Structures are given as structure tokens and as C-alpha cells.
Amino acid sequence: MPIALNVNENTHPVPDEVASDILDDIAVALRDVNRYPDREFTTLRESFAEYLGHDLDASQIWAGNGSNEVLQHILQAFAGPGRTVFGFSPTYSMYPLLTQGTGARWVAGTRQPDYTITPDDAAAQVLEHDPDVILLCSPNNPTGTALGLDVVEAVYEAARGVVVVDEAYQEFAHRDTVSALALLEGRPRLAVSRTMSKAFAFAGARVGYLAADPAFIDALRLVRLPYHLSALTQAAAIAALRNSDTMLAMVDEIVEQRDRITATLEALGFQPHESGSNFVLFGGVADPQATWRALYDRGVLVRDVGIAGHLRVTAGTEAETTAFLDALASIDSAS
Ligand SMILES: *Cc1c(COP(=O)(O)O)cnc(C)c1O
């Protein structure tokens, strides 16, 4: 497919100068690849702590092969048979699958019609279901909705179990969206997960990470496989983080394309939802399957996330975004 805007990747490649810097470090790591890697990935944890700020140190950082593995570690440690995992639907489609993989039960809560959640409603739903693990996605996939810290605080207060804020798209969020990292201090059951797959354009390298209390991190050490992060992965991620300014230079441009998608969709008669991520969920599609197919026939791949009357599109490069908007305008599909 020439234009793939379906899985929220960063469609910009890693900048050339960074790619060669990463390659130099991988070459060095390769010289020692007969040995097992640093199983504590200490330098990488220090690099993430520095990148995240908020006075974090390496003892509060965990990492895995993608944030999917990090989430799996959390669920292996805190979920399992007889336990429940809760999230506000619609949310990331992997949560129920990762939950069921540990033998736990997924419980879907509800949102307002515009996909926001109020602190009172969130707390009431948590009290009702009393879950062992709560997965909050902010900004949320597939809706783009950011959660206020008041919601995270209310959920934490109401919960007996572990609360995870999945901030996979945080770098794309509006400037007034404060990271839940600001709430970590004094909340030992709270974790904030991130990924290098989106803003860092590193989806193929598989690197996700998390910040939490050191005791929370220790619980994850019990479930990971020994040496789960390869020496090559560690080397690549450390080098990428050393170049984070350049790696993240494309974020502003992607945000610009996202906002252009929103404005153009409105002009075309669709109802885009407010997005703090690198994608836009839009309603007002008369027949999502037909529109998905018509875009596909024009060389543009988007995502039918199974919400009636809606499709989701990732913000691409300026040219990709133009191709999507032109293709959509050529199909009369608004209801
Ligand atoms: C894309 C995405 C991730 C990232 O997964 P990786 O395994 O790090 O590639 C995590 N959470 C959400 C909500 C996502 O949309």
C-alpha cells in the first residue's frame, strides 16, 4: 500500500545523521554480542530517566521490547486468573488481549458521548468494579482524547489496585496536557508507560518504557525473562535518546498535519474528535466499510476501528496527508 495511515506509526524515517550515529553504537555492541547483554540495562534506564525529567532516576524506570511487552509485564505481575483489569472503552484494542493472555478478566467502563471522562464518573465506575489493574490511555487510542490529571487522581484514590497511564502519544499532546509523571511522587501504585514507537519513529526497534515507584519496578523484575532486552536494542535506544532533539523534530510537523486533517474533515462535513495524538478519529461516515474500501482503492490505508459511523486516520507527511484528504474529498461519503 503506497500510503499507510492505519497503525499510527510516525511515517517520517529516522533522520540520516541520527541513523548513522545509531549504527556506530550498534557496531560497537556487535563486537561483544557473544556475551549476554546488561540484564539490568542500566545505561538505558538512566537515559530514559534523563529524557523524562521530573527528577526521576534509573531505579524508577523499566523498559521492554515495545510498550506492549511492558504492559504484559505489568499484567503478569499484577493480574492473572481470578483478577480483573479495567479500562474506559473505547480504548486500545490490545488491553483486553493482553489481559486475557494472563487469565484475568477484562472489564470495559464507559465514557461520555464525546469520549471524555469526568473525575466523579471515573471514580464511581472504579468503585463499582473494584479492579486489580486499571489501564488509562491518555491521549486515548482510538479516540485521541486526553485525560485531565484530576481524572487520574480520582481513579487512583478510588482504586485498590494498580493504575497505569499509557502515554504512548504524550509527545503529540496539546501543550496544556500535563503528563501523569507529575503525579508519581507519593503514589506507589501508579505507573506511567511510554513508547519509542510513535514520536521517536522507532516502531521497528521495539522499545517501550515505564516510570513508577522502585518497588513497582521490582515486581516487574520477577516476571521478565532473563536478558529480555538485547544488547543491540539497548545500544540503538541509548543512541536514539542521545539524539532526542533531532528524533523529535518531526513531532511539530505531524501535529500540524493532524490539525490540518481535523480542519479539512470539518469542512468536508465529517465530525472529527478533538485529538492530542498523531491520528484523528472522525464520525459522520455514512458507510465506514465502503469509505475504507474506496480509500484503499485510491491507495490510502486507514483504520476501521469498529465504532459505528467512524474511521481513524494517522497524520502522515504533508504529501501523504494531502493524498488522504484529496482521496476522501473525491468520495462523497459524509452522512
Ligand atoms: C501504539 C501504541 C502503543 C505502542 O506499542 P509498542 O508496543 O510500544 O509499539 C502503546 N499503547 C498504545 C495505546 C498505542 O496506541
Side-chain angles (χ1 to χ4, degrees):
M1 184 57 48
I3 298 172
L5 303 176
N6 58 325
V7 288
N8 301 342
E9 292 153 340
N10 187 328
T11 67
H12 301 260
V14 171
D16 279 342
E17 67 268 34
V18 180
S20 62
D21 201 32
I22 295 172
L23 214 49
D24 288 347
D25 283 25
I26 292 178
V28 172
L30 200 56
R31 302 272 174 218
D32 287 326
V33 90
N34 56 312
R35 303 289 184 184
Y36 282 108
D38 172 10
R39 59 178 286 155
E40 282 297 314
F41 47 101
T42 308
T43 307
L44 179 58
R45 285 189 291 120
E46 287 166 357
S47 302
F48 279 131
E50 192 186 328
Y51 169 69
L52 290 177
H54 292 265
D55 286 330
L56 292 166
D57 66 52
S59 72
Q60 295 162 282
I61 303 291
W62 188 246
N65 297 282
S67 59
N68 271 270
E69 186 179 59
V70 171
L71 293 170
Q72 186 179 50
H73 286 161
I74 295 172
L75 295 170
Q76 286 172 331
F78 298 106
R83 302 222 172 143
T84 56
V85 181
F86 177 90
F88 295 98
S89 189
T91 191
Y92 188 35
S93 57
M94 285 306 297
Y95 296 158
L97 296 174
L98 291 166
T99 297
Q100 286 150 15
T102 73
R105 190 167 61 92
W106 170 256
V107 177
T110 58
R111 294 170 181 262
Q112 308 292 316
D114 66 355
Y115 303 124
T116 59
I117 314 168
T118 65
D120 288 349
D121 181 30
Q125 292 188 53
V126 167
L127 284 170
E128 181 192 342
H129 295 291
D130 191 30
D132 299 279
V133 180
I134 296 164
L135 301 177
L136 301 175
C137 191
S138 178
N140 183 50
N141 182 6
T143 63
T145 323
L147 288 180
L149 291 194
D150 53 348
V151 176
V152 180
E153 282 181 280
V155 165
Y156 188 89
E157 290 311 316
R160 168 184 53 79
V162 160
V163 179
V164 182
V165 185
D166 180 349
E167 294 189 345
Y169 299 98
Q170 179 65 27
E171 286 91 347
F172 301 104
H174 300 293
R175 303 227 183 280
D176 57 356
T177 305
V178 182
S179 166
L181 291 169
L183 297 179
L184 280 179
E185 188 152 357
R187 292 186 178 83
R189 291 178 286 113
L190 181 66
V192 180
S193 95
R194 297 276 188 102
T195 180
M196 294 186 79
S197 291
K198 310 288 161 57
F200 274 91
F202 230 42
R206 311 303 303 130
V207 188
Y209 55 106
L210 161 155
D213 188 85
F216 191 112
I217 305 294
D218 275 341
L220 305 180
R221 286 193 170 86
L222 301 176
V223 297
R224 59 89 176 266
L225 293 171
Y227 310 110
H228 71 289
L229 273 180
S230 92
L232 305 182
T233 302
Q234 292 183 41
I238 292 163
L241 285 163
R242 196 170 59 229
N243 289 279
S244 53
D245 288 350
T246 317
M247 292 287 276
L248 295 174
M250 283 299 152
V251 166
D252 287 346
E253 189 186 322
I254 294 165
V255 165
E256 204 175 296
Q257 297 308 316
R258 174 197 72 203
D259 292 344
R260 178 179 160 227
I261 290 172
T262 302
T264 311
L265 286 172
E266 264 170 15
L268 290 172
F270 296 98
Q271 286 108 48
H273 293 273
E274 172 76 27
S275 175
S277 53
N278 69 339
F279 57 83
V280 178
L281 179 75
F282 57 103
V285 187
D287 182 347
Q289 279 179 356
T291 301
W292 183 92
R293 181 80 223 181
L295 287 169
Y296 181 87
D297 290 342
R298 288 162 175 76
V300 181
L301 194 55
V302 299
R303 184 78 168 260
D304 180 352
V305 292
I307 301 177
H310 285 70
L311 288 171
R312 190 193 71 191
V313 62
T314 307
T317 60
E318 185 177 4
E320 290 168 328
T321 302
T322 300
F324 159 71
L325 292 170
D326 287 353
L328 189 66
S330 76
I331 316 160
D332 184 20
S333 54
S335 57

